[in-house]
Amino acid sequence: GYKTIAQQKEVTHQTLYWTRYYNQLNFHPRWTWHNEIDNRRFVQANTQHHLIIHSHLHYKVLPNVDIAAGFTYSRQSPQSPDATVNLVVPELRPFQEVNLTVPFGKRLVLAQRLRVDERFIHRNNGKQLLDGYDFNFRIRLRAQAIVLLSKQSTDHSTYLKIANELMVNAGKNITLNQFDQNRIYVGLEQNLGKKLAFELGYLHWYQQRSSGYQFFDRDITRLTIYHRINIKS
């Protein structure tokens, strides 16, 4: 029962660094197209952990509400930097999301995102890929506070971001890890004009594995380059 699982709880600590390029194409007052490339590597031995490519189209329903649909292609390398088998597992992931932003005065914005992932993960036996895909849903809820640190909002503003995201698994293939993971993030974003911004942050990632009793506890440094392109008529 649960007692045995609790007694056997295994936590693996890891340190990673993520580098991300985030492109936002504004082509209509209500429509924006977002594209992200996120490369994730272990600090130990500088081995590859994950490559993720997201593409999503956003539609502004109200001034503070937007909805989006997108697609993710992911290549998951081994979950340990000293793995002996270098198996890379592809994943195809359509997703939908709703974003709500609520400003409080001129310096604080609270942003909430609800995202649903439909995950098609390539079947494998831990050593090689097998035919077909396993499917499950994942529900993600993120709350984020964005604080303006500069005196006023300009093209060279500095922002503090604090976020917490909870992810929950659903579907018949999920038995022991309905809780998937929790991510806590703190970062600084520096704008360099209208088109470019850099963000450097720390992310703490706590994840339950499919066994139910094994967990990853990860410290991550993340660098993001934001690139905004306006082609509105």
Side-chain angles (χ1 to χ4, degrees), residues 152-168:
Q152 57 192 36
S153 184
T154 66
D155 292 339
H156 292 82
S157 297
T158 308
Y159 295 93
L160 169 68
K161 294 181 178 178
I162 302 166
N164 190 7
E165 184 171 24
L166 173 67
M167 304 190 198
V168 178

Side-chain angles (χ1 to χ4, degrees), residues 12 16 125:
T12 305
L16 298 95
N125 59 9

Side-chain angles (χ1 to χ4, degrees), residues 15-75:
T15 310
L16 298 95
Y17 68 96
W18 295 1
T19 45
R20 182 170 69 140
Y21 170 74
Y22 194 121
N23 178 300
Q24 186 175 321
L25 194 66
N26 301 312
F27 59 89
H28 183 276
R30 285 178 181 257
W31 292 94
T32 50
W33 186 23
H34 300 235
N35 292 286
E36 303 169 58
I37 300 174
D38 193 354
N39 198 46
R40 305 172 176 184
R41 295 180 75 86
F42 292 105
V43 170
Q44 183 189 330
N46 191 27
T47 48
Q48 181 70 8
H49 177 240
H50 210 168
L51 173 69
I52 297 184
I53 299 168
H54 302 289
S55 185
H56 34 122
L57 195 60
H58 289 245
Y59 177 72
K60 202 176 274 263
V61 185
L62 295 166
N64 65 332
V65 179
D66 88 36
I67 55 174
F71 186 81
T72 298
Y73 174 69
S74 138
R75 292 176 63 81

Side-chain angles (χ1 to χ4, degrees), residues 186-229:
V186 180
L188 280 176
E189 180 189 320
Q190 177 61 52
N191 283 270
L192 306 170
K194 287 182 179 177
K195 292 180 181 176
L196 274 182
F198 285 87
E199 182 177 305
L200 185 63
Y202 163 77
L203 190 136
H204 180 254
W205 177 7
Y206 191 74
Q207 182 174 29
Q208 186 174 28
R209 301 172 71 178
S210 55
S211 62
Y213 68 90
Q214 292 169 304
F215 294 82
F216 287 121
D217 184 12
R218 289 172 168 150
D219 293 313
I220 298 156
T221 305
R222 184 173 80 179
L223 173 69
T224 304
I225 299 167
Y226 290 108
H227 185 195
R228 301 179 189 96
I229 301 168

